[in-house]
C-alpha cells in the first residue's frame, strides 16, 4: 500500500523517486495483516472520523460562531466574503481544499470491504457492517463540505498510485451533478448497513444517514434551481431538480415520521446527559471532563464571545400570536426600546437564545446576600451587553447568545465545558420536508401541516401558519431570504425559510442556505444592525464606554452599526457581495502540483478566480 498524502492530492507528482518510502503502510493505520480482523478493529479505525463533525472549541470559537459569515451574526471583524477586494486565492493550509480525511476513509472502506468479503473479519457481522456504514456516511459528509465550497470535484475512492500520469488525471474535477450522485450512492450504502439504534451512544445511526441524504439532496436541488443558467449550474434541468427534491422528501419523511420534537427547545443545547436513541437529537458530539472539553458556557456566559446576532434575525421572529412584528394591530409587539421589551411575547426560540440585561441580588463568596449601608440588598446589573469591549470579549451588535450557555455550576469555567453539541436533529427533517415538498409541488400536504404546527407549538407560537402567511408583507421583511436570483419568492416559501432561520439560530446553517437560495445577490450596501442602543440602553454605559470607535454613534442610527464604528473600516458603506464569492478559490499551489509530463493541468479554477495569487476578477460575468 502506498503512502499517499491527500492533503494536496497531487503532491506525489514530485515524489516519483521516493519508492522505498511510498511502499510503507500508511502511518496512521495499523498493519492490515494484524488488524481489521474483528468488528472492534473496525470500530477503533472509524472512530478517528468523528472529529470531522462540528464541535465547540476550548477557546471562544465553536458551532455558535459559524454563522458570523452570514446575515444572522457578525463577528469582531468584517467578513471579507461579503465585499470585494480583500479575499484572495489562499494558501492550501488556509483553505478547505483538503483531502486528508478522504484518504483515511478510502483506506478504511477498501480494506474493510475486501476483508469482509473474504471472510477475514470474525465476529458479529451486523456490527462490522454498521462500522463500514459509518465509513460511507463520513465519506459523503466530507465530500459535502468540499461540494459546498468548491462545486465540481475530483472523485477519489482509492489510494492513489505513484504514477504521475494517473495522478495528474485524477486532478480533473467532475461535474457537481456526478459528485452529488456519488455522495447519494454512498449514503444509500450507509443506510443499508447502519442500524436503526446506534451501536453506542454518540455513533452514527440509520436516521443520521437518512437526514444527511435529505440535506444533500435539498441543497443541490435548490442550488441547481436558483443558479440555473449561470456558470455555477450550467447544466441544470427541471428533471434533475425534481428528482433531487423527491429524494429529499422521501428521506426526510422517514426520519420525521419516526421522531417527535423534544418538548423543550433550549434543553437540547445545554444538556450534560446523553440523548436517548429515539430523541429528537439523532447525533450529538459528547465531551468528558478532563479528556475532551470546551469553553462555550465560559465565553458566551460571561462575555460577548466576539459575536452578536443581528437585528434582521431578531426581527424575523414572530410574536406568540403568530404575527410578524410589523403586522397592523399587533399589540403583542412591545417595541425595541430595550431588550426586555423586545424579547417579551416573542417566539420562545428568540427569548431562549438571547441574553437580556437584568438585576440580581449581589452575593459574597460564601453565597451570602450583600447589603448596603441602609440595610437594603445590593443589586447588580447582569448581562449588560459587552458592546464596550472589543475582540473576543465583546459583542458587535449587543444581541448576545444565550442558547448554548449552561447554568450548571462549573460549566462556566474555562476549558471545563462538557455540554453536548447536537449535530443532527429531527427538526431539520421536518423543515427539509416542508421546503422540499413546497419547492416540488408548490403546495402543502398533510405532513407539511403536521410538521409545521409541531415546530410552532414547541416555539410557543400560534400553530396556524396560514395566519402568518396572510399577514406577511415581503416589502417589510428585512431578510435576504425574501429573494432568490434577484426575484421575490412567494409568501409561503418565504415563511418556510423564516421557520428554518428561527429554528437554527447560531447553529451554523445560514450561509449554506443563503448560497443555495442565491439570496446573496441582494446583499447591496447592506448594513448589519444591532440593538436599539441610543434610545435608552446607552444609559447603562459611561460616556467613555460608548465613544466613537467603540460603538457607532447616534447620528448614524439609534441602532448599532458594527461596520460604522469608525470611518476607517473598509466596508463602512456596507457589505456588497460579489457573485464570484459563491464558490471558494482553489489554492494556487494546486495548479503547479497537478501538471503532467506534457505540461498539462486538468485542474480548473473556479469562475472569476485567478490561478495565481490575487483577488477575483470582479468584472467576470457568470450569467
Amino acid at each position: 500500500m502506498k503512502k499517499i498524502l491527500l492533503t494536496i492530492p497531487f503532491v506525489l507528482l514530485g515524489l516519483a523517486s521516493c519508492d522505498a518510502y511510498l511502499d510503507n503502510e500508511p502511518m496512521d493505520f495499523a498493519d492490515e495483516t494484524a488488524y481489521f480482523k474483528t468488528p472492534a478493529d473496525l470500530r477503533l479505525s472509524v472512530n478517528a472520523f468523528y472529529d470531522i463533525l462540528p464541535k465547540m472549541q476550548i477557546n471562544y470559537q465553536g458551532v455558535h460562531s459559524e454563522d458570523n459569515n452570514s446575515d444572522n451574526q457578525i463577528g469582531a471583524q468584517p467578513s471579507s466574503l461579503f465585499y470585494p477586494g480583500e479575499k484572495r486565492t489562499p494558501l492550501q493550509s488556509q483553505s478547505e481544499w483538503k483531502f486528508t480525511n478522504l484518504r483515511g476513509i478510502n483506506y478504511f472502506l477498501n480494506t474493510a470491504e475486501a476483508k469482509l468479503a473474504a471472510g477475514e473479519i470474525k465476529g458479529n457481522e451486523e456490527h462490522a457492517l454498521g462500522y463500514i456504514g459509518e465509513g460511507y456516511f463520513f465519506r459523503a459528509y466530507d465530500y459535502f463540505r468540499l461540494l459546498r465550497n468548491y462545486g465540481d470535484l475530483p472523485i477519489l475512492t482509492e489510494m492513489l498510485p505513484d504514477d504521475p500520469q494517473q495522478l495528474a488525471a485524477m486532478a480533473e474535477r467532475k461535474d457537481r451533478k456526478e459528485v452529488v450522485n456519488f455522495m447519494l450512492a454512498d449514503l444509500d450504502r450507509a443506510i443499508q448497513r447502519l442500524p436503526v439504534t446506534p451501536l453506542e451512544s454518540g455513533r452514527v445511526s440509520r436516521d443520521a444517514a437518512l437526514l444527511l441524504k435529505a440535506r444533500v439532496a435539498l441543497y443541490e436541488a435548490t442550488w441547481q434551481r436558483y443558479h440555473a443558467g449561470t456558470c455555477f449550474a450550467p447544466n441544470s434541468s427541471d428533471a434533475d431538480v425534481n428528482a433531487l427534491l423527491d429524494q429529499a422528501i422521501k428521506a426526510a419523511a422517514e426520519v420525521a415520521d419516526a421522531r417527535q420534537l423534544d418538548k423543550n427547545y433550549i434543553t437540547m443545547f445545554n444538556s450534560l446527559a446523553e440523548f436517548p436513541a429515539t430523541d429528537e437529537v439523532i447525533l450529538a458530539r459528547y465531551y468528558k471532563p478532563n479528556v475532551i472539553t470546551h469553553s462555550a458556557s465560559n465565553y458566551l456566559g460571561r462575555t460577548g464571545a466576539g459575536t452578536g446576532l443581528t437585528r434582521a434575525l431578531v426581527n424575523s421572529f414572530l410574536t406568540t400570536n403568530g404575527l410578524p412584528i410589523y403586522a397592523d394591530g399587533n399589540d403583542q409587539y412591545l417595541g425595541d426600546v430595550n431588550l426586555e421589551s423586545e424579547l417579551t411575547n416573542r417566539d420562545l426560540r428568540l427569548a431562549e437564545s438571547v441574553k437580556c440585561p437584568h438585576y440580581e441580588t449581589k452575593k459574597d463568596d460564601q453565597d451570602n446576600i450583600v447589603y448596603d449601608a441602609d440595610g437594603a440588598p445590593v443589586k447588580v446589573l447582569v448581562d449588560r451587553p459587552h458592546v464596550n469591549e472589543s475582540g473576543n470579549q465583546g459583542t458587535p451588535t449587543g444581541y448576545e447568545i444565550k442558547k448554548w450557555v449552561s447554568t450548571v455550576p462549573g460549566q462556566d469555567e474555562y476549558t471545563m465545558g462538557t455540554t453536548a453539541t447536537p449535530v443532527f436533529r429531527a427538526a431539520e427533517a421536518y423543515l427539509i420536508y416542508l421546503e422540499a415538498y413546497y419547492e416540488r409541488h408548490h403546495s402543502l400536504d398533510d405532513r407539511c401541516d403536521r410538521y409545521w404546527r409541531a415546530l410552532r407549538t414547541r416555539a410557543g407560537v400560534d400553530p396556524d401558519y396560514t395566519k402568518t402567511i396572510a399577514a406577511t408583507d415581503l416589502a417589510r421583511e428585512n431578510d435576504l431570504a425574501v429573494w432568490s436570483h434577484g426575484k421575490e419568492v412567494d409568501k409561503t416559501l418565504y415563511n418556510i425559510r423564516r421557520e428554518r432561520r428561527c429554528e437554527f439560530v447560531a447553529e451554523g446553517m445560514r450561509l449554506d442556505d443563503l448560497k443555495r437560495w442565491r439570496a446573496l445577490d441582494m446583499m447591496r450596501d447592506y448594513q448589519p444592525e444591532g440593538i436599539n442602543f441610543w434610545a435608552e440602553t446607552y444609559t447603562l454605559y459611561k460616556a467613555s464606554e460608548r465613544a466613537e470607535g467603540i460603538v457607532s454613534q447616534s447620528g448614524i442610527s439609534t441602532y448599532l452599526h458594527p461596520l460604522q464604528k469608525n470611518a476607517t473600516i473598509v466596508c463602512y458603506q456596507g457589505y456588497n457581495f460579489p457573485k464570484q464569492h459563491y464558490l471558494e478559490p482553489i489554492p494556487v499551489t494546486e495548479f503547479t502540483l497537478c501538471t503532467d509530463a506534457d505540461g498539462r493541468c486538468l485542474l480548473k479554477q473556479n469562475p472569476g478566480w485567478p490561478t495565481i495569487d490575487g483577488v477575483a476578477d470582479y468584472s467576470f460575468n457568470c450569467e
Side-chain angles (χ1 to χ4, degrees):
M1 186 63 65
K2 304 293 185 182
K3 171 67 175 176
I4 310 295
L5 296 175
L6 283 179
T7 300
I8 306 176
F10 321 114
V11 71
L12 291 182
L13 292 174
L15 297 180
S17 63
C18 302
D19 290 339
Y21 177 65
L22 291 167
D23 286 335
N24 290 338
E25 292 284 345
M27 292 180 178
D28 45 354
F29 291 92
D31 181 351
E32 65 181 74
T33 61
Y35 203 54
F36 287 84
K37 291 182 175 296
T38 68
D41 292 341
L42 303 186
R43 174 183 176 276
L44 287 174
S45 294
V46 81
N47 280 353
F49 309 141
Y50 278 82
D51 198 48
I52 297 172
L53 298 174
K55 56 181 174 289
M56 294 297 184
Q57 307 282 3
I58 60 171
N59 57 18
Y60 63 93
Q61 295 176 317
V63 174
H64 65 271
S65 63
E66 290 179 6
D67 273 341
N68 283 349
N69 278 346
S70 78
D71 61 342
N72 278 5
Q73 290 175 228
I74 185 170
Q77 300 297 324
S79 172
S80 61
L81 179 68
F82 296 139
Y83 59 91
E86 189 168 313
K87 185 177 177 63
R88 307 177 69 87
T89 45
L91 297 173
Q92 194 277 335
S93 61
Q94 297 171 350
S95 76
E96 289 292 321
W97 187 258
K98 295 180 174 65
F99 292 79
T100 307
N101 296 329
L102 291 172
R103 170 190 177 274
I105 294 168
N106 283 335
Y107 177 81
F108 168 80
L109 285 172
N110 294 337
T111 305
E113 287 279 33
K115 287 188 171 292
L116 185 66
E120 297 178 24
I121 298 177
K122 307 301 181 183
N124 189 312
E125 185 174 352
E126 288 187 5
H127 285 193
L129 286 171
Y131 294 126
I132 292 172
E134 292 181 25
Y136 284 114
F137 171 91
F138 281 114
R139 187 161 71 180
Y141 189 92
D142 206 45
Y143 255 104
F144 190 39
R145 170 187 63 83
L146 289 163
L147 178 86
R148 299 192 315 271
N149 282 284
Y150 299 103
D152 300 347
L153 295 166
I155 296 179
L156 307 174
T157 60
E158 298 177 355
M159 305 291 286
L160 301 180
D162 180 25
D163 181 338
Q165 295 292 330
Q166 190 169 344
L167 288 168
M170 292 302 294
E172 184 177 6
R173 299 166 66 189
K174 306 300 183 185
D175 184 272
R176 62 182 296 142
K177 288 186 181 181
E178 187 176 344
V179 177
V180 169
N181 288 335
F182 168 71
M183 293 160 57
L184 293 173
D186 262 2
L187 288 168
D188 284 338
R189 295 184 186 99
I191 291 164
Q192 292 168 3
R193 291 163 173 78
L194 285 165
V196 173
T197 301
L199 295 173
E200 41 181 332
S201 182
R203 301 198 77 88
V204 173
S205 66
R206 185 172 183 272
D207 277 359
L210 280 165
L211 184 50
L212 180 56
K213 180 180 180 179
R215 183 188 289 185
V216 170
L218 176 64
Y219 183 94
E220 188 60 16
T222 48
W223 178 280
Q224 292 289 338
R225 170 160 288 172
Y226 294 117
H227 289 272
T230 73
C231 58
F232 299 119
N235 303 313
S236 178
S237 72
D238 289 342
D240 288 339
V241 169
N242 288 337
L244 287 165
L245 291 172
D246 286 339
Q247 291 195 67
I249 290 166
K250 185 175 185 297
E254 191 165 345
V255 176
D257 283 349
R259 292 179 183 260
Q260 300 294 315
L261 299 181
D262 283 3
K263 183 178 180 180
N264 296 314
Y265 177 79
I266 198 63
T267 56
M268 293 183 288
F269 306 99
N270 51 38
S271 174
L272 291 171
E274 295 180 354
F275 297 100
T278 58
D279 196 80
E280 175 183 341
V281 177
I282 298 168
L283 179 64
R285 194 178 192 109
Y286 294 115
Y287 304 83
K288 187 175 182 179
N290 302 315
V291 179
I292 303 175
T293 60
H294 60 74
S295 299
S297 290
N298 173 268
Y299 272 98
L300 290 173
R302 67 178 181 83
T303 78
T307 186
L309 305 178
T310 63
R311 180 177 173 231
L313 169 63
V314 170
N315 283 355
S316 68
F317 285 88
L318 306 172
T319 48
T320 57
N321 58 11
L323 297 177
I325 60 173
Y326 55 75
D328 293 339
N330 187 4
D331 57 4
Q332 282 201 341
Y333 180 57
L334 304 183
D336 59 12
V337 69
N338 57 54
L339 275 167
E340 184 177 12
S341 297
E342 192 168 14
L343 302 180
T344 300
N345 301 329
R346 301 294 289 279
D347 184 322
L348 290 175
R349 292 170 296 191
L350 175 63
E352 293 174 336
S353 296
V354 179
K355 289 193 283 186
C356 183
H358 62 284
Y359 287 91
E360 292 182 358
T361 302
K362 184 176 182 179
K363 296 184 178 181
D364 61 20
D365 293 340
Q366 285 73 45
D367 205 32
N368 298 314
I369 295 175
V370 176
Y371 297 91
D372 62 20
D374 297 324
V378 175
K379 299 288 186 179
V380 292
L381 179 64
V382 178
D383 287 339
R384 181 186 76 161
H386 294 77
V387 297
N388 58 312
E389 298 188 45
S390 60
N392 303 328
Q393 302 294 311
T395 174
T397 68
Y399 292 114
E400 296 186 348
I401 298 171
K402 183 176 71 173
K403 179 171 177 175
W404 295 95
V405 177
S406 171
T407 58
V408 174
Q411 286 295 310
D412 61 345
E413 295 183 26
Y414 179 60
T415 74
M416 298 299 286
T418 54
T419 50
T421 305
V423 177
F424 287 101
R425 298 194 285 120
E428 184 182 356
Y430 285 41
L431 285 158
I432 287 175
Y433 186 93
L434 259 172
E435 184 180 347
Y437 192 92
Y438 192 80
E439 287 275 9
R440 178 70 171 90
H441 301 287
H442 307 292
S443 63
L444 302 174
D445 68 354
D446 290 343
R447 275 197 177 99
C448 292
D449 180 78
R450 187 167 72 250
Y451 298 159
W452 205 344
R453 288 177 181 273
L455 288 161
R456 289 166 67 105
T457 298
R458 202 247 307 264
V461 172
D462 186 331
D464 184 4
Y465 53 85
T466 63
K467 177 194 295 186
T468 309
I469 295 169
T472 297
D473 181 351
L474 295 178
R476 300 176 71 180
E477 295 286 351
N478 182 20
D479 190 338
L480 294 173
V482 166
W483 305 87
S484 279
H485 205 156
K487 298 178 180 179
E488 284 188 354
V489 300
D490 67 57
K491 294 198 292 184
T492 300
L493 182 55
Y494 168 68
N495 275 289
I496 292 170
R497 293 179 177 184
R498 181 211 298 275
E499 198 71 51
R500 183 177 176 89
R501 186 183 201 184
C502 295
E503 180 67 25
F504 296 125
V505 56
E507 292 186 53
M509 301 279 229
R510 184 64 171 179
L511 180 59
D512 287 343
D513 288 344
L514 294 175
K515 284 186 172 183
R516 67 185 177 89
W517 294 331
R518 196 171 174 181
L520 289 167
D521 286 13
M522 301 305 292
M523 185 179 269
R524 295 289 173 259
D525 299 327
Y526 185 86
Q527 287 290 348
E529 291 186 315
I531 60 173
N532 189 348
F533 184 76
W534 290 104
E536 181 180 293
T537 304
Y538 78 95
T539 60
L540 302 178
Y541 302 83
K542 300 175 183 177
S544 60
E545 294 178 314
R546 45 184 164 84
E548 184 175 3
I550 298 176
V551 297
S552 59
Q553 298 301 289
S554 58
I556 294 172
S557 172
T558 60
Y559 300 97
L560 292 181
H561 281 202
L563 300 183
Q564 296 185 312
K565 291 181 181 180
N566 60 68
T568 63
I569 295 177
V570 64
C571 45
Y572 181 87
Q573 297 299 332
Y575 282 148
N576 287 279
F577 180 79
K579 295 176 184 177
Q580 294 78 7
H581 289 190
Y582 270 114
L583 291 176
E584 290 293 304
I586 294 172
V588 176
T589 49
E590 298 302 281
F591 297 97
T592 60
L593 291 169
C594 78
T595 304
D596 65 14
D598 297 322
R600 298 175 301 174
C601 178
L602 296 179
L603 184 65
K604 302 300 181 185
Q605 181 59 283
N606 271 328
W609 287 99
T611 56
I612 59 173
D613 177 47
V615 300
D617 175 6
Y618 296 113
S619 66
F620 180 83
N621 184 5
C622 194
E623 298 296 327

